[in-house]
Amino acid sequence: MATKNTVILAAGKGTRMKSKLYKVLHRVCGRTMVDHVLTQVEQVKMDNIVTVVGHGADAVEKELGSRTKYAVQEEQLGTGHAVMQAEDILGNLDGITMVVSGDTPLFTAQTFDNLFEYHKSKKAAVTILTSHTDEPTGYGRIVRNSLGIVERIVEQKDASKEEQAITEINTGVYAFDNQALFSALHSINNENAQGEYYLTDVIEILKKQGKTIAAFQMDDFYESMGVNDRVALSKATKIMQRRINEAHMKDGVTIVDPDNTYIDVDIKIGADTVIEPGVQLKNHSVIGENCYLGAHSEIRNSTLHDNVTVTSSLIEDSEMFDGSDIGPNSHLRPESSIGKGVHLGNFVEVKKSTIEDNTKVGHLTYVGNAKLGKNINVGCGVVFVNYDGAKKHETVVGDDSFIGSNSNLIAPLNVADHSFIAAGSTINKDVERYDMAIARERQTNKPGYFKKLPYQKD
C-alpha cells in the first residue's frame, strides 16, 4: 500500500546562532521552529513522520513528544546522511516521502499539499520545491537545460560564477518516490567542498537512471526562508507576525499598528476587539469580542471574555470576565479570576485571588491569596498581608463590604459580608457581619509643638 511520509531534518546544532539552545528550538511567534514545521506537516495527513535528531535530541523529543517518530544522526555528515537514518523506519515502504528542514518555520500546509499533488501528477521519482529570488546567495541553485528540464542542484560553495547568477533556488524541500530515495542514498559520496553527503546528489543519480525529475515552483519565496542566525530569526519572526496579524484583521479585529503588535501563533481573538500599538499576546491566550487592549499591554496564557478593557497592564495565567477592566500599570499574577464588571484601577497587583462581580479595587492595592465577594469597595493603598515569612495564608471578604484606604488585612482572616473596615486599620481578627472594625492609634495633638522646632522661625 502506498504511504505518505515526511522526514524532518532537525539534527544540527546551529553554531551560527551562537546559542546554548539548539537551533530548531528557537521560537518564532511563540512556537519553536521545528514545531511550526511539524504542525504544518500534520495538517497534510501523513502516515509516518520521522524527525531526525542529533544535537539536543532529548530537548527536541521533549518539545515534540509522541507526535513524530525519531531517528538519531550521531555524526552530522550532511543532509543525505541525515535522511539515511530514517531508513529503518521508512526504507521498506512504498509511496511518497517529503523531506523538509526543521529550521524553516514559514512553510504552510497548503504548500506541502501542493507539492505532493504535483509530484503525483508528474509520476516523478523526485519533485524539488523551488522558488525565485533576486538574492540567491546561500541557496542551492536549480540548473536546468535548454528545454527547462532540471539537470541538477548545485550548492553555493560548489557553484561556478554562471551558476551563482541563477535566481531559481532550492528551498530544501523534496518529494521522493520512497524506494528510489533510499536506493539512491546508498550511491552518494562526500566528494565536495564540505566533505558531506548531500541529499541533492540523489537528484543526479536518479536522473542518470532515466527517472523523471520534476520541480514545483512556489509563489512565495519567503515561505522557504531558512533560519541559520539571529538576523534570519528576526526576519522570519517579522514575516510570521505580519501573517498572524493580517489573519486576525481579516477576521474582524482592529489592529491599529500591525508592525508594532506582537501576537503569538496560537492566540484567539473575537471580532471588534481593538488592539493598540505595542501590545503582546502570548502563549495560548484567548481574547473575547469587543475588548480594548491599550498600548503596551502584555497578556500571557490568559482568557479575557467579552467587553474587557486592559490599559497598559500585564496579565499572566489569569481570567477576566465580561465587562471587567484593569489599569493603567496594573498586574494580574497567575491564578487570578476577575468577575464581571470588576474594576481594577492603576497600580493594582492581584495574585492567586478571586474577585467576584462588580467589586472595585481602585488603586495602589495588593490583593494576594484572597477571595473577594461581590460589590465590595477596596480603598486606596490596601494591602492583603498574605505571607508570614514561611507560609501563605488566605483572606476572605464577603459581599457588599467596605475596605477603607490604607488598611492592612493580615491573613488568615475572614471578613463577613456587609462589614466595614475603617481607613488606616490593621486587621488581624475576624470581622462579623454588619460590624465596623477599627484598629489604629487614637490621634493626639500637641499644642504649640511647631514653635519648639529649632529650625523654624516665629
Side-chain angles (χ1 to χ4, degrees), residues 86-156:
E87 187 173 28
D88 287 346
I89 300 172
L90 302 178
N92 294 324
L93 300 177
D94 292 321
I96 303 170
T97 294
M98 179 173 71
V99 179
V100 59
S101 296
D103 61 359
T104 53
L106 299 176
F107 277 118
T108 64
Q110 185 62 60
T111 294
F112 291 152
D113 193 51
N114 290 343
L115 175 63
F116 271 97
E117 292 304 314
Y118 187 88
H119 177 81
K120 286 192 290 186
S121 71
K122 295 298 181 182
K123 296 184 171 67
V126 58
T127 301
I128 308 156
L129 184 64
T130 74
S131 189
H132 275 285
T133 175
D134 293 332
E135 298 179 359
T137 301
Y139 291 91
R141 308 304 202 277
I142 304 298
V143 180
R144 295 178 182 266
N145 63 21
S146 58
L147 298 176
I149 298 172
V150 176
E151 292 283 347
R152 66 186 186 281
I153 301 172
V154 60
E155 299 297 327
Q156 170 78 28

Side-chain angles (χ1 to χ4, degrees), residues 307-341:
N307 299 292
V308 172
T309 297
V310 180
T311 307
S312 302
S313 294
L314 171 60
I315 300 172
E316 304 176 89
D317 300 287
S318 294
E319 187 168 12
M320 295 183 69
F321 287 88
D322 295 0
S324 57
D325 69 273
I326 183 172
N329 303 309
S330 291
H331 186 183
L332 275 191
R333 290 169 59 189
E335 298 182 60
S336 295
S337 177
I338 308 304
K340 294 180 180 179

Side-chain angles (χ1 to χ4, degrees), residues 192-312:
N192 51 63
Q194 292 289 88
E196 294 184 349
Y197 296 91
Y198 290 153
L199 180 61
T200 50
D201 288 347
V202 169
I203 311 298
E204 193 166 351
I205 291 170
L206 295 176
K207 184 175 179 58
K208 288 179 179 178
Q209 294 175 353
K211 298 184 183 295
T212 300
I213 312 300
F216 174 70
Q217 190 176 121
M218 58 188 289
D219 294 328
D220 184 2
F221 162 73
Y222 291 104
E223 266 195 49
S224 67
M225 179 182 290
V227 174
N228 292 310
D229 57 28
R230 306 291 182 129
V231 175
L233 182 67
S234 175
K235 291 178 180 178
T237 299
K238 203 70 176 173
I239 293 167
M240 181 70 76
Q241 174 191 313
R242 187 185 316 121
R243 183 187 294 175
I244 292 168
N245 290 353
E246 288 179 357
H248 285 299
M249 289 188 286
K250 289 176 180 177
D251 284 339
V253 177
T254 295
I255 300 178
V256 176
D257 184 359
D259 289 338
N260 292 287
T261 300
Y262 310 95
I263 302 175
D264 279 356
V265 69
D266 293 312
I267 305 299
K268 297 179 180 178
I269 309 173
D272 293 314
T273 284
V274 176
I275 303 176
E276 289 193 336
V279 169
Q280 299 181 60
L281 304 180
K282 296 183 176 181
N283 308 116
H284 297 274
S285 293
V286 177
I287 312 299
E289 296 183 353
N290 297 295
C291 292
Y292 187 88
L293 308 183
H296 306 295
S297 295
E298 184 175 343
I299 300 170
R300 305 175 187 167
N301 199 40
S302 296
T303 297
L304 274 57
H305 293 257
D306 298 341
N307 299 292
V308 172
T309 297
V310 180
T311 307
S312 302

Side-chain angles (χ1 to χ4, degrees), residues 156-183:
Q156 170 78 28
K157 292 183 178 181
D158 300 311
S160 65
K161 286 187 177 180
E162 292 77 12
E163 290 168 338
Q164 288 183 15
I166 296 171
T167 58
E168 185 180 12
I169 58 93
N170 175 24
T171 66
V173 179
Y174 315 88
F176 289 96
D177 174 90
N178 190 68
Q179 292 289 331
L181 167 64
F182 286 102
S183 175

